[in-house]
Amino acid sequence: MLTFLALASVVLLGIVPEQSQAIVIYTGWERHALVGSDIRLSCSFFSWRWTSEDVTFSWTYRPDGSRDSISIFHYTGGAAYVDNKGPFRDRLEFVGNPSRRDGSILIKNLEFSDNGTFTCDAKNPPDIVGRPSSVRLLVFEKVPIQAGVITGAIIGVVLGLLVLIVVIYYLMRFLVARRVFSLSVSKHGKKKKEGSQQRQLWTPPPLTCYPLP
Amino acid sequence: MLLILLGVLILHLIILILLIVSTAASAWSVGGDRSTDLWYSCMTTNGGYHCKPASNEDWIQAVQALMILSLLFCFFSLIAFLYQLFRLVKGGRFFFTAIFQILASLFVMCGAIIYTVMCPDDGSGVQFGYAYVLAWVAFPLCLISGLIYIVLRKKE
């Protein structure tokens, strides 16, 4: 029994790390941006191995409606190589930190022709088996309002006003009840004060005795 | 007395059902190759019939919000009516019920007006669907029901 358990654990320990040695790459799913603005496309990866010195990042771009991709960025051997001939020349900048597994790029001054799919592929030798991940870039003239934001805002404001009015109504009722209570106390006090004043005012007239002639 | 009560309650339930159908059914404008409803906007292109959520425009979101609010207020007024039926002093008026019902009718009116004014005129045979008609029918019914609640008094 014990030997069986030992054998099983050795086999499991041997199998599991091999299967989980695929590199997993994360980018966004979709990015929206305005014409003329800058956008940062983030790319990072997860790997069971330590970040090696030979880590590589590469970005490729496939315009909307086209089938060919063109390579626009490559980082290898500690140096970043940006696009200097293609559609992104002088507009691409490397803003990532490879030692922290960040291979993000910055695209400046977006144009409508930049609509398309950007694919990031990272390799962390010896961990090289993995699937590249893609992010879709949409360039707008005017960023559209997201679904249901205005709907939710109107409903929230009206219901909030309703709750506020109900709370104020009950608060006023409560306060008026208390004021009635204090009003009667002050009336009582006023009456007392008036009474005492009257008593003070009404001093009995001095009695003078005239002797009878 | 019981007859009046029953009649008023049935009217209220009919209004609630009309509002629910009008809000939920996406049949505000029908016909042509492009229809913009309350919740979906569909168009027939070469590839087929594609529907996407009609949420990019401000006025459609406002109409959505107003219809949902009118539905909520009609429901609140029903609950307020049932509550005040059992708890009101004798001879009292159903004020809360009336206020909520009139507010609901106001919201339906605003929503229907905004949709009428801002509906895109394609000119290619786009007509108004049954949900739009139901909204316009629900508005005067709701107003009348609210006024009835103002006039109604709790007798014993």
Side-chain angles (χ1 to χ4, degrees):
Chain A
M1 181 66 175
L2 216 60
T3 48
F4 172 69
L5 273 175
L7 207 66
S9 59
V10 163
V11 166
L12 277 174
L13 279 174
I15 289 182
V16 165
E18 272 186 32
Q19 274 190 346
S20 63
Q21 250 180 19
I23 192 173
V24 183
I25 303 179
Y26 303 108
T27 60
W29 180 253
E30 215 175 60
R31 288 278 176 267
H32 298 198
L34 283 174
V35 175
S37 69
D38 305 338
I39 185 137
R40 180 177 194 265
L41 298 172
S42 65
C43 175
S44 77
F45 66 88
F46 173 77
S47 161
W48 287 101
R49 301 264 183 190
W50 296 112
T51 313
S52 96
E53 285 167 7
D54 304 323
V55 64
T56 65
F57 287 97
S58 55
W59 282 91
T60 57
Y61 167 66
R62 183 170 59 87
D64 261 351
S66 161
R67 276 202 196 166
D68 309 320
S69 331
I70 138 179
S71 184
I72 59 171
F73 174 78
H74 194 68
Y75 176 92
T76 184
Y81 301 92
V82 296
D83 177 20
N84 50 6
K85 291 189 178 69
F88 294 102
R89 61 168 158 256
D90 300 329
R91 290 198 290 144
L92 200 59
E93 195 186 315
F94 180 56
V95 292
N97 193 348
S99 54
R100 284 183 181 244
R101 302 185 170 183
D102 180 17
S104 313
I105 54 171
L106 180 76
I107 304 180
K108 297 185 263 224
N109 210 1
L110 284 168
E111 302 159 5
F112 280 121
S113 58
D114 294 335
N115 267 301
T117 311
F118 291 79
T119 309
C120 174
D121 192 10
K123 298 200 189 309
N124 184 26
D127 203 355
I128 57 155
V129 180
R131 238 171 254 211
S133 169
S134 309
V135 54
R136 191 138 181 260
L137 179 65
L138 293 160
V139 180
F140 291 105
E141 221 173 63
K142 181 176 74 125
V143 181
I145 294 194
Q146 279 213 319
V149 163
I150 297 183
T151 313
I154 294 180
I155 293 181
V157 162
V158 171
L159 288 180
L161 276 173
L162 187 70
V163 167
L164 199 70
I165 289 177
V166 165
V167 162
I168 288 181
Y169 172 71
Y170 277 113
L171 204 67
M172 293 300 282
R173 264 175 57 168
F174 179 65
L175 280 179
V176 163
R178 282 187 77 183
R179 270 174 68 183
V180 164
F181 180 59
S182 67
L183 256 175
S184 72
V185 166
S186 69
K187 265 192 195 167
H188 219 51
K190 273 191 187 167
K191 276 190 185 162
K192 271 194 182 165
K193 267 194 184 168
E194 282 180 12
S196 62
Q197 268 190 356
Q198 274 183 356
R199 275 196 207 129
Q200 273 188 353
L201 277 173
W202 188 81
T203 49
L207 282 171
T208 48
C209 280
Y210 284 104
L212 286 167
Chain B
M1 282 313 114
L2 206 63
L3 225 60
I4 294 182
L5 181 67
L6 216 61
V8 158
L9 202 63
I10 288 184
L11 180 66
H12 201 135
L13 285 172
I14 287 180
I15 293 174
L16 197 63
I17 291 177
L18 281 181
L19 282 176
I20 289 179
V21 171
S22 172
T23 307
S26 200
W28 280 61
S29 68
V30 177
D33 58 347
R34 194 178 85 111
S35 67
T36 318
D37 284 332
L38 201 54
W39 302 103
Y40 286 112
S41 80
C42 304
M43 61 177 89
T44 350
T45 56
N46 297 340
Y49 192 64
H50 298 291
C51 284
K52 64 175 168 69
S55 51
N56 282 350
E57 301 165 50
D58 313 352
W59 58 273
I60 279 193
Q61 295 196 28
V63 176
Q64 286 173 0
L66 287 170
M67 291 305 293
I68 291 182
L69 277 172
S70 80
L71 190 58
L72 282 176
F73 273 64
C74 191
F75 186 64
F76 288 159
S77 93
L78 185 66
I79 293 186
F81 177 58
L82 291 175
Y83 174 77
Q84 287 194 311
L85 201 59
F86 295 119
R87 294 287 227 119
L88 203 58
V89 289
K90 292 178 184 125
R93 291 180 194 264
F94 293 86
F95 268 137
F96 272 129
T97 314
I99 286 179
F100 280 135
Q101 193 77 319
I102 290 183
L103 278 178
S105 83
L106 219 68
F107 287 144
V108 171
M109 180 184 78
C110 286
I113 286 181
I114 292 180
Y115 191 85
T116 313
V117 165
M118 299 288 288
C119 187
D121 280 324
D122 282 338
S124 61
V126 174
Q127 293 176 333
F128 289 115
Y130 71 90
Y132 174 79
V133 172
L134 283 183
W136 272 116
V137 164
F139 153 59
L141 283 182
C142 211
L143 199 62
I144 291 175
S145 169
L147 291 174
I148 289 180
Y149 282 126
I150 287 185
V151 167
L152 211 62
R153 267 183 198 267
K154 183 172 184 186
K155 279 195 190 177
E156 184 21 32

